[in-house]
Amino acid sequence: MKELQKTYEPKEIEEKLYKRWEEKGYFRAHVNPEKTPYTIVMPPPNITGQLHMGHAIDNTLQDILIRWKRMQGYEALWQPGTDHASIATEARVVETMRKEGITKEMIGREGFLERAWAWREKYGSTIVSQLKKLGSSCDWERERFTMDEGCSDAVKEVFVRLYNKDLIYRGSRMVNWCPTCRTSISDAEVEYEEQDSFFYHLLYPVKETGEMLELATTRPETMLGDTAVAINPDDERYMHLHGCHVILPLLNKEIPIVLDEHADKEKGTGVVKITPAHDPNDFEVGMRHDLPRVRVMTYDGHMTGAENVEESVEGEVEVLDCGKYAGMTALDARAEILKDLEAGGYLKKVEPLKHEVGTCYRCHSTIEPMISKQWFVRMKPLAEPAIKAVTDGRIRFVPDRFTKTYLNWMNNTRDWCISRQLWWGHQIPAWYCEDCGETIVAKEAPAVCPKCGSTHLTQDPDTLDTWFSSALWPFSTLGWPEETEDLRYFYPTNTLVTGYDIIGFWVSRMIFSGLAYTGDIPFDTVYIHGLVRDSQGRKMSKSLGNGIDPLEVIDQYGADALRMMLLTGNAPGNDMRFYYERVESCRNFANKIWNAARFIMMNIEKAEIPEAMPENLTQADRWILSRMNTLVRDVTENMDKFELGIALGKTYDFAWDEFCDWYIEMVKPRLYNDTDETKSAALWTLQTVLKNVLKLLHPFIPFVTEEIYTNLSGEESIMISSWPVYSEELHFAEDERDVEILKEAVRKVRALRTDMNVAPSRKAAVYVVSGDPDIRRIFEHGKNFFATLSYASEVFIREDREGIDSKAVSAVTADVTLYIPLSDLVDVEKERERLTKEKERLMNELRRSDAMLTNEKFLAKAPEAKIKEEQDKRAGYEVMLRQVEERLSAL
């Protein structure tokens, strides 16, 4: 056994311990037929990332589970890795180049990719080193990257398989377009936010009748792309307009009035403009009525001009020359178009409006729905088995309420747009023949066109959505598509830990991918956690400036304190608030355990402690062992249910209250008495309970528990020790009951002494009175520690109160009446003198307060809060005076 230093210094210990863990290979997992595997795949952080509180909570939860399962004897694999993050990384590299005066186009695709890989080499490992500071016990030798050779091979394999099954197709469809990132994004990547806007009521003249049809829009600039107006076929107001046309204002262009249920006759005028190239609902209407699609926006958010007309694709989309509006931004064009509509008598009114607007999850620019030729995954055939896997219970969400979120997403999913107009990422494995137009999809570049034999082949320039590769993460990291030993042993994985904000982005896609490509679920449990918010409950963001850097917290308080704070009071799926006061409290807890360990180790340093449980355990020993045994059972049950915050709370309460504040104080007289025959039993109990408490705490606070445990036990590491198991041998129900009776009596004596302002140094006799011989027996057995904890000079146990001073103060529990001679507690004359002075002081305060509260000038001029403060003070003085008078009367 080594002596612990006087104070726990996380900075000195954490880095040293983590390095030793890595060197010893404790994080490594191997195919081991003798053990049951337990696998977690880390949600791969972006290589652009810096450790934030989201990473901290996510990885702390994973580390708790993996350390716990490792101690339970599982072959526990925590598979780490990072994500290439196509949009975010490309934006970073482009920004770096911009500062050098270089653009992507200037250096070409190959030159850009060289820079991107160099950027990844320089910065991509930053997040990994930061995760290590948190204590993450991943198998770092298995670290993967979504664009490494194996993961890239898996991506190409999946693309080819889906294409050959007609589950991937290319076509001109409505997509979510980000004009800032200049790429399409999937529905899951659109974030909706409430914005102030307007409803513009426009008037379109009907060609056949000359009347004006009123309709409303929030985006009048798109009217240049209108190819129809829709009315509901059952709307009696417009029966006479069936088969008619309107003249599109400003363009003087005839477009049809179509009959479609998309026009809601209960909403507004019941008339809607149809712009198939710029609205997803209008696109569907256009499909039903075979309407042309007219694009009026460029991909960087400007109105199209003559130079864009050549982008038209016959039979798919026409690009309009917007004339005087060409080249304007959407907002500038809106202002000009509204002026011209008003001048022509086509603008009836404008109404203010609050509505949800789609924005890009990366740059938060407003999304433009656009017709674009993209690659899509057909979702319906893939979604059905993924829905069934959850409804039949093979995959469960914790907490269960997120099952509904998942099913809503999957039941309403649309085809997934997977192509991105970026260079950094997995380039789509499709080639086009320049001579015959054939599309060839293959894992490797074809030498010739299989249709015409041409060698003039060009690869699709687009890359795949980042989520396409991360959807394969649970099995691509284990060697798929090869049938590897790791894949057979560790897959399906067990627990996925993630936030509720990416159930649609990622969880749903991993589930359908696992089922479609491996024939099995990717994991059996999805453990959902909430967001870490600031102390006011606000989401942490750069704009609010309320972000908290986990590394700064670790530097100041240690990783254990941060980890513990993130779990304290935390329930699955719920958001939590970050409080520095709570971090300090958690650091104080680590110090409490450290100091308790130092005290115990100093006492057992030269003592001979039995290896087996001693036969001469006292009532107090059996009580704490039984309480510890119950704790082991309860905590293990909580962990099994993913109630990690509850498990930590129970261990905290036991360690601080029952072990440190009660048991250690109970046994001190035995430790200081070398002639006490039960001293070795006390030391065995102290050591046994401390070791088990450290094991229960280890998954939560790994560093301090490791440092104490290895010094206390002489064992190699707590990481490779066994998780405690409940034992009937340590269940002492009677002793638990007995000690709780004694503890309640101690509390009553202490409360009585506190009420009378008696210092702990002043000892007093305590009389314990009970007519029940069983209760008296309990106090006889616990007499020594009861005396110590009650600050008693002597303890007398009686059947009745005969012979006890009639002036003795008393306290009552459910089992006993406690008496303490008044003269033992206070010097009566001195106390009477003190209380008399206190009474006079309080009466003076009341007179002063009454004078203020009856002063009309004070009441008229003083702020309301000041008057209330004085009233509260007066009420307090009255209470204190009443207590002093009662004490004087008692004396």
Side-chain angles (χ1 to χ4, degrees):
M1 184 187 300
K2 296 176 186 174
E3 186 180 344
L4 293 176
Q5 58 191 47
K6 192 170 182 181
T7 56
Y8 176 55
E9 299 292 347
K11 275 187 188 177
E12 294 177 19
I13 290 168
E14 290 178 355
E15 192 172 336
K16 171 196 76 175
L17 289 180
Y18 197 89
K19 187 179 178 186
R20 183 158 65 83
W21 289 337
E22 282 199 285
E23 288 172 352
K24 292 283 187 181
Y26 295 149
F27 304 162
R28 297 282 286 125
H30 305 277
V31 173
N32 185 349
E34 303 298 313
K35 286 186 175 185
T36 303
Y38 178 82
T39 313
I40 292 177
V41 289
M42 174 190 286
N46 293 345
I47 56 170
T48 57
Q50 295 283 322
L51 191 73
H52 56 64
M53 280 299 168
H55 294 126
I57 182 68
D58 196 68
N59 285 277
T60 295
L61 291 168
Q62 292 172 76
D63 195 46
I64 289 166
L65 292 172
I66 213 77
R67 286 177 184 271
W68 169 51
K69 288 295 184 181
R70 197 182 279 128
M71 291 174 76
Q72 282 193 315
Y74 289 82
E75 190 65 29
L77 168 62
W78 185 8
Q79 173 64 57
T82 52
D83 194 292
H84 65 279
S86 51
I87 293 178
T89 305
E90 183 147 328
R92 290 284 183 90
V93 177
V94 166
E95 176 60 19
T96 303
M97 287 164 48
R98 185 188 65 77
K99 291 174 182 174
E100 299 174 32
I102 302 170
T103 65
K104 285 165 62 177
E105 292 70 27
M106 289 166 68
I107 59 174
R109 186 173 196 130
E110 291 306 314
F112 175 79
L113 289 176
E114 281 180 23
R115 281 177 169 260
W117 278 105
W119 193 94
R120 185 252 172 182
E121 289 303 313
K122 187 173 182 181
Y123 299 107
S125 60
T126 301
I127 189 78
V128 169
S129 61
Q130 292 172 340
L131 285 171
K132 290 181 178 183
K133 285 188 178 295
L134 193 64
S136 303
S137 60
C138 312
D139 187 346
W140 292 112
E141 291 184 29
R142 291 174 174 267
E143 185 185 343
R144 299 299 299 273
F145 176 52
T146 49
M147 280 176 63
D148 67 27
E149 189 177 342
C151 289
S152 296
D153 183 61
V155 166
K156 288 185 279 190
E157 178 74 23
V158 166
F159 192 96
V160 172
R161 283 193 194 186
L162 291 180
Y163 181 80
N164 290 338
K165 291 179 180 179
D166 197 31
L167 291 172
I168 278 184
Y169 65 92
R170 187 172 183 244
S172 292
R173 300 287 300 248
M174 181 62 61
V175 298
N176 305 299
W177 187 267
C178 176
T180 302
C181 297
R182 298 194 191 184
T183 183
S184 60
I185 62 173
S186 69
D187 291 342
E189 294 167 310
V190 178
E191 291 183 349
Y192 289 89
E193 57 183 52
E194 189 175 72
Q195 293 183 4
D196 291 318
S197 185
F198 296 94
F199 248 144
Y200 302 95
H201 290 255
L202 310 183
L203 299 171
Y204 283 19
V206 179
K207 177 188 172 187
E208 287 78 2
T209 67
E211 67 190 277
M212 289 289 195
L213 264 188
E214 182 183 342
L215 53 87
T217 180
T218 57
R219 304 175 69 220
E221 66 277 11
T222 65
M223 65 163 292
L224 302 180
D226 287 0
T227 56
V229 164
I231 56 175
N232 192 291
D234 299 326
D235 195 331
E236 293 182 2
R237 291 172 293 178
Y238 305 118
M239 291 290 185
H240 65 293
L241 296 181
H242 291 199
C244 293
H245 303 77
V246 295
I247 305 300
L248 188 60
L250 307 184
L251 295 185
N252 198 29
K253 173 183 172 184
E254 181 182 309
I255 57 175
I257 297 173
V258 297
L259 309 179
D260 198 280
E261 290 185 354
H262 173 57
D264 187 346
K265 60 183 182 179
E266 305 298 328
K267 204 169 178 182
T269 63
V271 183
V272 291
K273 62 192 277 302
I274 303 300
T275 321
H278 292 286
D279 183 277
N281 294 316
D282 294 0
F283 179 84
E284 299 299 328
V285 175
M287 294 277 283
R288 290 195 287 271
H289 297 278
D290 197 24
L291 298 175
R293 303 160 186 163
V294 178
R295 179 161 68 83
V296 298
M297 302 281 292
T298 65
Y299 292 110
D300 63 356
H302 294 76
M303 304 303 286
T304 51
E307 69 278 11
N308 303 111
V309 172
E310 63 185 32
E311 297 168 17
S312 300
V313 179
E314 190 174 348
E316 292 191 9
V317 64
E318 174 195 341
V319 180
L320 182 72
D321 177 358
C322 293
K324 64 181 283 191
Y325 312 112
M328 292 182 184
T329 65
L331 288 178
D332 288 343
R334 180 181 300 178
E336 288 302 313
I337 286 170
L338 287 169
K339 277 185 197 173
D340 293 343
L341 287 169
E342 189 173 20
Y346 301 117
L347 179 61
K348 183 176 180 181
K349 62 179 178 179
V350 179
E351 290 179 321
L353 167 77
K354 279 187 183 293
H355 68 146
E356 296 286 308
V357 176
T359 62
C360 174
Y361 81 112
R362 279 289 173 201
C363 67
H364 306 291
S365 300
T366 298
I367 289 300
E368 292 288 351
M370 297 273 272
I371 288 279
S372 179
K373 197 156 195 171
Q374 302 286 347
W375 288 90
F376 296 86
V377 174
R378 290 189 206 280
M379 283 303 303
K380 193 176 179 191
L382 295 167
E384 287 169 356
I387 291 168
K388 191 170 185 295
V390 172
T391 56
D392 68 14
R394 282 177 289 158
I395 298 174
R396 68 177 178 130
F397 280 78
V398 178
D400 183 61
R401 68 179 186 270
F402 289 103
T403 303
K404 187 177 179 183
T405 305
Y406 169 80
L407 293 176
N408 282 345
W409 176 264
M410 294 305 284
N411 282 316
N412 296 293
T413 191
R414 298 193 302 173
D415 286 359
W416 173 19
C417 175
I418 55 170
S419 46
R420 298 290 180 269
Q421 289 60 55
L422 301 166
W423 285 353
W424 174 247
H426 298 98
Q427 191 169 355
I428 289 173
W431 287 261
Y432 308 115
C433 177
E434 295 172 16
D435 294 326
C436 72
E438 178 73 356
T439 299
I440 307 112
V441 170
K443 285 181 73 174
E444 304 301 331
V448 296
C449 173
K451 187 175 180 182
C452 72
S454 170
T455 57
H456 301 139
L457 304 175
T458 305
Q459 188 173 359
D460 192 307
D462 289 352
T463 54
L464 287 163
D465 180 6
T466 298
W467 299 102
F468 191 91
S469 53
S470 50
L472 319 181
W473 193 244
F475 47 91
S476 65
T477 51
L478 295 172
W480 189 92
E482 300 301 319
E483 186 68 25
T484 63
E485 252 195 311
D486 281 345
L487 188 68
R488 283 193 296 271
Y489 183 71
F490 290 111
Y491 187 87
T493 70
N494 296 90
T495 308
L496 175 76
V497 179
T498 191
Y500 57 69
D501 52 337
I502 56 173
I503 290 173
F505 273 148
W506 191 44
V507 178
S508 63
R509 290 164 179 169
M510 281 190 287
I511 292 174
F512 84 66
S513 297
L515 291 163
Y517 318 139
T518 73
D520 209 341
I521 56 173
F523 30 72
D524 54 55
T525 304
V526 183
Y527 175 41
I528 299 291
H529 61 78
L531 303 177
V532 182
R533 298 180 178 273
D534 71 7
S535 59
Q536 298 175 47
R538 300 174 301 175
K539 191 173 179 179
M540 293 185 188
S541 67
K542 287 180 182 176
S543 58
L544 288 174
N546 63 340
I548 294 164
D549 184 349
L551 296 174
E552 290 181 7
V553 178
I554 290 170
D555 188 59
Q556 189 173 352
Y557 299 99
D560 285 337
L562 173 62
R563 290 168 62 114
M564 188 173 174
M565 181 269 159
L566 291 171
L567 264 292
T568 301
N570 189 340
N574 290 353
D575 290 351
M576 62 163 297
R577 296 188 181 192
F578 182 94
Y579 296 100
Y580 274 106
E581 298 84 354
R582 221 180 256 173
V583 183
E584 288 178 16
S585 171
C586 293
R587 180 190 59 188
N588 293 344
F589 175 75
N591 288 338
K592 178 97 171 176
I593 298 298
W594 183 267
N595 290 333
R598 287 188 77 244
F599 171 78
I600 292 166
M601 290 165 70
M602 282 190 290
N603 279 279
I604 63 179
E605 190 175 7
K606 294 175 183 175
E608 287 188 21
I609 300 174
E611 289 186 18
M613 183 167 70
E615 292 182 4
N616 62 338
L617 293 173
T618 67
Q619 178 190 56
D621 300 334
R622 291 190 297 273
W623 164 72
I624 196 68
L625 287 166
S626 190
R627 294 295 300 137
M628 177 204 75
N629 196 37
T630 302
L631 177 72
V632 167
R633 182 195 64 201
D634 291 351
V635 165
T636 305
E637 285 177 4
N638 292 136
M639 298 287 275
D640 280 329
K641 294 177 188 173
F642 295 94
E643 296 167 344
L644 308 188
I646 294 174
L648 174 60
K650 287 178 178 176
T651 312
Y652 175 100
D653 290 342
F654 173 85
W656 188 293
D657 183 46
E658 295 185 282
F659 185 53
C660 292
D661 286 356
W662 283 100
Y663 181 70
I664 290 178
E665 295 304 315
M666 288 175 184
V667 298
K668 278 181 179 177
R670 292 157 65 193
L671 301 182
Y672 300 151
N673 183 356
D674 289 335
T675 63
D676 192 316
E677 292 178 357
T678 66
K679 180 176 179 178
S680 64
L683 291 170
W684 181 89
T685 304
L686 283 166
Q687 185 181 54
T688 300
V689 175
L690 178 58
K691 284 170 77 170
N692 280 288
V693 166
L694 292 171
K695 288 180 179 184
L696 294 177
L697 285 170
H698 175 71
F700 301 94
I701 47 174
F703 292 106
V704 68
T705 51
E706 170 80 336
E707 185 69 7
I708 295 171
Y709 187 88
T710 51
N711 284 293
L712 171 72
S713 67
E715 294 175 30
E716 189 178 319
S717 173
I718 195 171
M719 279 189 67
I720 54 175
S721 68
S722 297
W723 183 256
V725 178
Y726 178 82
S727 167
E728 280 298 332
E729 187 187 8
L730 294 177
H731 181 56
F732 303 112
E734 189 177 321
D735 293 288
E736 283 199 48
R737 184 206 65 163
D738 293 355
V739 172
E740 287 306 321
I741 289 170
L742 289 161
K743 284 172 65 183
E744 183 58 23
V746 169
R747 290 190 192 99
K748 290 289 184 179
V749 171
R750 286 179 171 180
L752 194 150
R753 292 172 63 98
T754 300
D755 286 346
M756 299 184 71
N757 294 318
V758 181
S761 58
R762 183 164 187 142
K763 306 298 179 187
V766 177
Y767 291 82
V768 180
V769 176
S770 173
D772 185 337
D774 187 45
I775 298 297
R776 294 199 299 276
R777 174 192 60 79
I778 291 168
F779 278 83
E780 286 291 353
H781 285 166
K783 197 173 185 178
N784 287 345
F785 80 73
F786 177 73
T788 302
L789 298 176
S790 301
Y791 313 115
S793 54
E794 289 181 275
V795 175
F796 302 98
I797 299 162
R798 303 281 179 85
E799 185 177 352
D800 54 45
R801 70 163 295 174
E802 188 179 338
I804 300 173
D805 190 341
S806 61
K807 291 182 180 179
V809 293
S810 64
V812 180
T813 74
D815 302 285
V816 296
T817 304
L818 303 154
Y819 296 95
I820 305 177
L822 183 62
S823 58
D824 281 13
L825 293 173
V826 293
D827 181 318
V828 176
E829 286 308 313
K830 281 187 177 178
E831 183 65 4
R832 186 181 285 117
E833 184 182 340
R834 185 186 73 79
L835 289 171
T836 302
K837 286 181 180 176
E838 178 66 3
K839 179 180 176 180
E840 183 59 33
R841 185 187 75 80
L842 289 169
M843 290 178 71
N844 287 336
E845 287 292 351
L846 279 168
R847 283 191 285 270
R848 181 197 61 75
S849 188
D850 285 341
M852 285 184 73
L853 293 171
T854 55
N855 185 322
E856 291 183 8
K857 286 184 180 178
F858 171 74
L859 295 173
K861 292 182 179 180
E864 194 175 325
K866 179 68 177 172
I867 296 170
K868 177 75 168 58
E869 182 186 339
E870 192 57 43
Q871 289 170 338
D872 291 344
K873 278 184 186 177
R874 192 193 184 287
Y877 295 143
E878 276 194 320
V879 171
M880 288 189 282
L881 179 62
R882 194 159 53 247
Q883 290 172 343
V884 167
E885 287 175 336
E886 286 171 0
R887 295 275 296 284
L888 277 167
S889 176
L891 289 173

